[in-house]
Every structure is written in C-alpha cells, then in structure tokens.
Amino acid sequence: MSEGDTLLYLDGVTVTFDGFRALNALSLVLEQGEMRAVIGPNGAGKTTMMDVITGKTRPDTGKVMFGKDTDLTRLDEPAIASLGIGRKFQKPTVFEPHTVWDNLLLALAGDRAPRFTLFARQTADEKRRIEQILETTRLTDVRHRAAADLSHGQKQWLEIGMLLAQEPQLLLVDEPVAGMTDAETEQTAVLLREINRTRSVVVVEHDMAFVRALDVKVTVLNEGSVLAEGPIDLVSDDPKVIEVYLGR
Amino acid sequence: MKLDRAAILTIVLVFGAALVMAALNQMTPPASAMHVPTYVIALAGKYLCFAMLALAVDLVWGFAGILSLGHAAFFALGGYAMGMYLMRQIGDRGVYGNPNLPDFMVFLGWKQLPWYWHGFEWFGFAMLMVVLVPGVLAAVFGWLAFRSRVTGVYLSIITQALTYALLLAFFRNDMGFGGNNGMTDFKAILGFNIQADSTRSALLVISALFLCGQFLLARFVVGSRFGKILIAVRDTESRTRFLGYRPESYKLVVWVLSAVMAGIGGALYVPQVGIINPSEFAPGNSIEAVIWVAVGGRGTLVGAILGAILVNFGKTWFTSVLPELWLYALGAMFILVTLFLPRGVVGLFRRRSRLEPEPEVPAASAAQEVTG
Amino acid sequence: MLRLLALLLLLLCGPLVAHADDPLAELASGSFDTVRQGVEDLAQSGNPNAAKILSALQNGQLYYLPDHTLLIQADDGSYANAITGKAVSDDDAEARSVRINNSIRSVLDAALGSLRLFDPNPSVRLNAAGAVFDAHQPAAIPALDRALAKETDSAVKTRMQQARAAAVLSDPGAAQDARLAAVPVLRARGDEAARGVLASVADQPGPVGAAAKAAVASIDRVLQLWSLAQSVYYGISLGSVLLLAAAGLAITFGVMGVINMAHGEMVMLGAYTTFVVQQVMHAYVPSLYGGSLLVAIPMAFLVAGLIGVVIERSLIRWLYGRPLETLLATWGLSLVLQQVVRSLFGADNRNVTTPDWMSGATQLGGLTLTWNRTYIILFAFLVMAALMAALRYTPLGLRMRAVTQNRRMAAAMGIRTPWIDALTFGLGSGVAGIAGVALSQIDNVSPNLGQGYIIDSFMVVVFGGVGNLWGTTLGALTLGIVNKFLEPIAGAVLGKIVVLVLLILFVQRNPRGMFPLKGRAVEA
C-alpha cells in the first residue's frame, strides 16, 4: 500500500508517569479502512495509547500523525474528535440523565459551538439519521428511556451508536464486550465488522474469543511497546507472546 | 417553547402576587385590613431580587455543575452600578450640598469626580454597566478558569477568594465607592421619589417582571440543545470533549449569563433596600445563596425561586422572633438539606425527572477526583 | 588727636573684649549671636556652674540684669544669682530673660551633651556621647577630646569617637585628613544616624565628599540587607501563621479530600480551649500560670480532635465522594459552632494572656525579633515536623496512607477504614486546635476567629499542591513572604488583594498547585 493510505501513524511515542514508562517508543501504523485489534496484559499501555491518540495525554516524545499531515500531539480532545476520531471508553459513558434519543442527538456530527446549539432545532435529517442508528444498534424500543435505565449491554451499544453518530473516520473502541453476554458479544463483533466497511477501527480487547471472531490483524503490546504484530494465529504461536500474555 | 404547569404556576404566582400586593398598597387606605404596608412591599421586592440571585446560582450549579461560592459578588457589582446612578441622582440634596460630588467624596476631601464615575448620571449608561461589569468580570474569570480546566472544589474555592478580594477592595476608601459605609441616602430614581409608596410598589412589580423574564430565559437555555450539552458537561465532562464539544465554551456562556442575571438582581435590590455596602461581597452571602438553591431543589429553576423566598422568609421571621436561633437554623438547614434532601423541596413533590442530578457517585472515584 | 582716638576706641571696645573672655557676660545679652558664642565658650570653659546655667537656659529660666549679672529663676518665680546661688530680690521689670532661637538651641544641646560627657555615671556618659553625636557640633570637639583622654569604658569610648568623627566631619573648617579619617569611623557605625551625618557632607566637593558618598552607599547596602532580612522575618512569621492554620487542612483536605469549611472553627475552638485552660489555672494553680500555654496545647488537640472525630462519624462519612455537598454541610456546621461559642462565651473578644517568656523582643544585628512571633515560627515548624513524622513512622500514619492510596485494598488487608477515616479527620482537626493555641497569642479570640483563616488556609493548601505537606509548608512561607514584600509597596489591604488575585491566577494556570502529585491517578 502506498503511504497516502496511512490513516494513523505513531512513531517512537513515549509517555512517562512519575518515572513509570506507560508507553515506551511505541510505533504503530494503521491503514485507511483497516480494523486492528490491540491486546496485551494489564498495564501494557493500551489505554494510554488511546489517551495519546485522542489528545487526553501528551506524549513526552514521538510523533502521532492522523492522515497525511495532521499532528495530533498539537491538538486537544475536542479538536481531535472534530477531525473524525471517535472513542468508546472501557466503562460505558453515556449521558445518564438524557434519553437514548438525546444521547444520539448530541453525538450527531454537526456544529458544536454554543451559539449554534443554543438555538438549534431538530431537523428532519437529524431525525432520520438518529432513527437509522437506533435501528443499527437495536435501541429503537428504548429510545425515550433515560440512558441511566438501560442495561449494561444496551449502554455499550448506545455508546457505539453515539460513535456512529459522530461519523468518524477512525473509531477507537476500548473493551467493547466487557461484561456482555455471549450473544451480545457475537452481535457486537458483527456490528463492528459492519462499521468497518466504511470506517477504520482500533479495538482494544481482552477477550480472545472475541478477537478471534473479529479475524483481523493483531498488535500485541507489552510494557509500552509492540511485542508482536500479525494475524491472530501467527501471534498466538509466538513464544514471546505466550510468555507475557497468553501463557499466564 | 412549551411551558409545563409548574412553570406557568410560578409565573402567575410571582407576578400575580406582586401585582396584587402593589395594588393593595396603592388602592387601600392604611387603616384598611386589606392594606399591604410599604415595608412588606420592600421586603417582597428584596425576596424577588434574591430569587434572581438564586436562579443565577442554580443555572451554573444545577445545570453546569459549577458550585460558585462567589455569586454574591456579581449581585453586589450590579448593585454598586445602580448605587452609583442613585448617588448621582442625589445632586445637591446631599448633606454637603455639593452638586457634583457624592457626600463621601466631599468628606474625603476629593476635588473632582473620579473618571470611572462619569456617565453614571445617565440611567441608560448605568444600566449598561449593571450588565457589563458583572458580565466582563465573569467572562475574564471564567475564561481563565475553564480554559485551564479548574473544576469542582478548586473552582469553588477560587470563586470564594474572588469575592473575598472584592470585599477587601471595596472596603478601601480610596477605591471611590464609599468604603466601609458604601452608598446610601438615595433620593430619587428616574426622577421619582425613592421613598414614595408608589415608587416602592412599582419597583416590586418591575422586580417580578424581571424575575419572570429571567426564569423564562433560563428555561429556554436549559431546554435547548445547549442545555442538554450543559447537563452532559456537568455529569461527564470528559465524554463531551471526546464528542467534539468544548466544555469550557459552554461553561463560559452560562457563567457569564448567570453573572449578568445576578447583577440585574443586585441592581433592583439596591433601590429597594436603600443601601449598598461592601458586606454584600462577604463570602457568607454567596454560600447562603447556594443554600437557597439547595433547599428549593438544585437543578430545578422553580426550586431556586421557591428556595430563595422560603429561606429568606424564614430569616425575616427568625431574626425578628428568635434572633439568636437564626444561625442555628441556617446551619442546620445546610446540614439537613445536604444529608436528607438532596433534591430539595421541589424534589419532595416530583418524581425523578430526567433533568435532575445524579447525586450518587461511588466514593472511590470521587475521592480520586479530589486527591488525585 | 590720634592717640585720643585710639584711647577712645580702646575704651569703647574694652568691655567687648572683656565680654569675649567672659562667657557669662556673653550670655547676659539680647543678641542671639553673642548668646550662642557664650554657650559655646561656657561649655569649653570648664566652669563648674556651666551645666546648671546651660540647663536653666534650655528651660527658659535664665535671666540677666542690666549689669550683666546672670540670674536663675526657680520654679516658684524667685531669682538667684547664677554663680553664687544667693537669692536675689529683684523686680521682674529689671530682670530680662535670655532669649534663644533654634540655632542657639542646637548649640545648647551639644554643649549640655558635652558637659555630661564628664559625668561619673558611664551610662549617662554613653547617652551624652549619643546626644553629642546627634548634634554633631564642631564646638564639641575640644570637650570630646578631653573626655576621650579620661574615658576608660570601651563602649562609651567608641561612642565618643563616633561623636567626635561626626563633629569633625561636619566641620568644614577642619583639616581634610582629619575629616577623611572620620569617614570610616562613621561607616563602621553603619546606622541611620551615621548615614545622615555622612549624607549631609556627601555633596561637598573634594575627597571628603567622595569618601562620604561612598560610605553612604555602603551603609545603604547594609541597611537594605537588614531591612530585607526584617521583611523576610515578618514574611516567615506570617507564613508560619498561615502554615499553622493550614496544617490541619493539609490532612483533612490534602490527604482525605474532605472539604471542611468548619476547619477555621476548629482553630477557634483551640483558641477558646486556651482561654479556658488559662482561666482554670489562674483560679486553681496560679503558680503554674506561666506554663498555661504548654498545658493548653495538648488540651486543644484533644478538644478539637474529639470534636473532629464526632463530626466525621456523624456528618462527613455520609458525604464521602460528594465534595460540594460536604462543603455546604460543613459550612452549616461552622455557623452552628460559631453560634454555640457565641452563646457560651459571648460575642466579645476573650482575653488570652501572653506569658512573660513570650513577651518582649530581642535585637539581632539590625533585626528586631519579637519573642511571640519567633516562638510561633518555631512552633509551626515543630508541628509540621511532628505531623510528617506521624504520617511516616507511626502505625496510624501507615494505615492512613494505605487508606488514602487504595481504600479497597486497605480494607481487604484488614484495616478498619471507617476508623482510620475518623482518626485522620480527628488528627487534622486536632492540629487545627493546636494552631488555635498559637493564634490566640496574636489574634483576637472571638467566635469569628476561624473565618478569617479559612480562605487563606485553602489557598495555601491548593497553592502548595494538595496532598503534599512539603508543598503546604513552602506554599505558606512563599505566600507570607510575598505578602510582606508587597505590603510596603501596596499597603496592607491592597497587598493582600494583590496576593489573592495572583493566587487566583496561579491556581487557574496550575490547578494542581506548585508541587502536584504525578501519576496515572491524576490522568484518570
């Protein structure tokens, strides 16, 4: 693939907290339209990597590029989100007092400035898009319920729905199936593959069955840097990987 | 914008009561059993001004999660702007009879009006300042605070420091705002005798008008998409950032709006109580305004108005009947409401509404918020 | 004819010449110039009555008769001959008062001063030398020389030498070498007075002026250093007060994260405990009254600490994780506590006495150190050191740190976290009580005592970095010193406002203070 197709490019990214190296010269390249699974033991730096990409944490050194020429280390969270990078958190974080419908409405791509939202009225187009996402995430029946009243799985799905509403180029998904039933997990894998048809996705996950089900290129992180990279079968046979992660 | 029953009821009650009281004061003879004495009119007007302050506090605390312990500062600044206009209206009717200088400046031996007093002889200019002074201060303060993500108790503490600094500053004679004594002995507003019953009644009705206006404005803001984002910011600020919103802009807008609302309240307060002095900046005043909101019901606009009127009515009653018990009552109110009545009085009457806050936060995560 | 003229001249001038030799006759004159001359001459004459006569002149009690006899008026209005002391019965009309003007007055001061230089009492001589120094009249030089020759006391001698140097330097007619030699003597003295003498000749042309100018500059530098040191001392003193007030808060807010708005009231309770302890000791064991503060310290710790435990158990534990609600509830509590104290002790200030060993001041070079401030500085550091040691080395401290770092893990290891919470809060409150003992020495003990400290205390803790006792210490001292350095420039109130505004701006730039804790917890 040519360089023009690179969507996300991390090079030599290092983050230290009080002497502890959360990321250690991490390098990662994600192609346009790719889905990537990132695995690794606890403390390997998965969440910190997400933080760096979304602007929550500034790296001490290293390059983080989005597309051809956007340096993400210079931008803050809202700017990065507006570029088209969406993030789903490990713990589902939705706006609990709001209805499912409102949650999606707030997530819909559009003007984010107060002077717009103060006078904004819901348009027919917005209504159509929300209904579509409700359909995709199977939340149509609960659309008028407060998000606080949803089940755990429904909240996870609502958050994925909110990601979709943002219409991002790249989705960062942190442990999407944690706490889900097997059936829900399966459906989530289907959903993510569906999303991947139009967008790039990075999935951080512990659940090996789920990663296998995704059937994509896997990056194994350990102690802040990449330990191995490749198809799941290849990676899971790697003795280094077995030692630090699968073996335990 | 659709109004629910509670909102309509609030407006009708506030405005209707003010109108009826003013009418009874004006149209019945003092001997009549129906007569409303003027001091009651002034008292009611004061409550309505406090209700505006409460509404302002509720807007930032109830809907944006900013616990301001310095909102009385904006109230007092609006009051001072109005006070300056009223001082200029005194003209040569002061004790020293100086047509150009307020009494306290003559007393200090000043020869001419400080530059920042110019313009306050015009009502329009003074009213502009009522809006601008609190608004600009809030904008500068908020811009600095929200941009560097000062939140929670840190923000509360520096808002308190802000009003404390203003308190000390306004105590100084050379600030040119009357120092310790502030401004008083007002004679006229827009040419009307400020002591006259008719003026008092008119001020009450105007206060009611402004309160209802502020209430409707606050409802509009809270009910808009902006308001929904604000609540999202209150509960999960970081999540809104990852959706591309800038919480600092949202907070700044509502913060400035709230400061201006408080300033208008203060401006209406001064002609009705007849004095403005630095004690209005005392940190305790700001915190008391917070308890009005907590008693009425944080995050419900009706609650803010109700709380302000209830608590201040209680204060008037206590301080006349059992003055030494008032601080016990107020202190107990702070404790009991936070412990047992997190949704306030309004919460007692209302099932859980989607606009109301979620006070239950796991201890561990919140402790981290503070110590981390 | 010429001879006749000469004789006439002699006759005319005769009395004048005679007057010039007799200072007493000079004094008996209506001319200011002659009187001044008389004062100078009398001072140097060695006349045993000189001191008496000059004192009378200074007090306006010296009179003269037309025949130039000097009289001294007693307090009852009667006159006596100035030399013989015999009573003189004379009309008021005959006796005229010797009038003096400012120029005579200063000469008179110097003259009297130089006369006392021979007093048998060394401390009088020392004062006299000081007075001569202040007057620095060249006329005093001969007297000083004579006194110096006889002087044995080294302190007095030094002071006389300084006085002589001042007089020589101030005499434009003196030899240049002598004047140049005087400069280093004054420079060595190095205080404001010496600087004044030097400065008065600094703009004279020639080497003396230049040397004096250099000496003034050198004294200025030294004086500036002392005044700087004094400001630092005041700053540290204020900082130590802030530190004491904030020390307890550094535990309850800094370590536990509890926003205790009633913290100031814990300080206030400590101050009232001191008052009660003093009253009780005064009534029952007056002999031990001097040690009342030492008794009050543990008492205040216990009283405030126990109340703290009660507050934690009854109120704060229901509000963990809700910092804003905690803030409101504890504010309410502070109102109640103030009102309780007001009901029990009245709203007026209560008088807490300062023991003798804490009153007064000492001089350290150019520094004035008041004992109560100095003790409070020492006490503040002692309290901080004890607090740090308690957290670091005691089992309770270990458990406290465990609970604040990972509550669940600590609970899993068998630590009774609720009790640790209560004890930690009690410790913070107790320390606040101790602070109250110290603050009772420098502040009014009234129900409002605590309110004055609460905002400052929070600012100190936030400024220093929450959860960091070193940061709190440095924060308090920095704020104290900055405040004291701003005061001369901006005035006390404006200085405080400036500090508050700077703090507000600082906290907005660095929301986590000077020494923020780092780590993943912060990012989470």
Side-chain angles (χ1 to χ4, degrees), chain C residues 136-215:
Chain C
H136 51 84
Q137 292 287 342
I141 293 171
L144 277 168
D145 283 338
R146 271 183 285 126
L148 270 169
K150 280 197 281 182
E151 188 54 59
T152 50
D153 188 305
S154 71
V156 179
K157 197 161 192 165
T158 310
R159 189 61 64 85
M160 284 178 175
Q161 271 159 351
Q162 290 165 349
R164 183 175 190 283
V168 170
L169 190 65
S170 309
D171 181 8
Q176 187 173 305
D177 286 353
R179 296 182 71 198
L180 278 177
V183 171
V185 177
L186 293 175
R187 182 203 215 141
R189 178 169 158 141
D191 61 355
E192 277 295 340
R195 185 197 176 278
V197 176
L198 286 165
S200 69
V201 297
D203 49 0
Q204 285 177 4
V208 174
K213 195 175 271 176

Side-chain angles (χ1 to χ4, degrees), chain B residues 61 65-67 69 140-150 152-158 160-162 164-166 168-172 283-285 287-288 290-291 294 298 323-325 327-328 330-332 334-335 338-339 342 359-364 366-372, chain C residues 253-259 261 314-315 318-333 335-343 404 407-408 451-452 454-456 458-459 462 466-467 490-491 493-494 496-497 500-501 503-505 507-512 517 521-522 524:
Chain B
W61 183 38
I66 308 166
L67 176 55
L69 299 184
V140 172
F141 181 87
W143 187 74
L144 286 168
F146 303 140
R147 198 187 43 137
S148 31
R149 301 190 185 173
V150 182
V153 289
Y154 292 89
L155 190 64
S156 302
I157 291 167
I158 60 171
Q160 200 181 19
L162 173 77
Y164 187 55
L166 283 168
L168 293 176
F170 274 77
F171 263 122
R172 289 164 51 85
N285 283 16
I287 301 183
E288 238 182 276
V290 172
I291 204 63
R298 175 193 172 195
E324 65 280 4
L325 286 187
L327 279 180
Y328 286 121
L330 185 64
F334 272 98
I335 296 168
T338 45
L339 280 182
E360 301 309 328
V361 182
Q368 256 184 357
E369 181 202 328
V370 177
T371 53
Chain C
F253 177 49
V255 177
M256 298 179 75
V258 171
I259 318 299
M261 294 302 274
S314 60
L315 180 61
W318 306 108
L319 295 168
Y320 279 123
R322 292 156 63 190
L324 299 182
E325 277 86 352
T326 313
L327 191 157
L328 292 178
T330 50
W331 176 266
L333 184 69
L335 294 181
V336 172
L337 287 174
Q338 280 175 41
Q339 193 59 28
V340 167
V341 169
R342 207 170 280 129
S343 310
T404 46
R407 171 173 298 271
R408 257 182 240 158
Q451 280 194 313
I454 186 73
I455 292 176
D456 285 338
F458 270 106
M459 293 309 266
V462 172
V466 169
V493 178
L494 203 59
K496 184 148 177 70
I497 296 169
L500 271 178
V501 171
L503 262 179
I504 292 172
L505 293 177
V507 171
Q508 301 197 327
R509 282 204 75 82
N510 310 282
R512 300 203 177 265
L517 298 178
V522 176

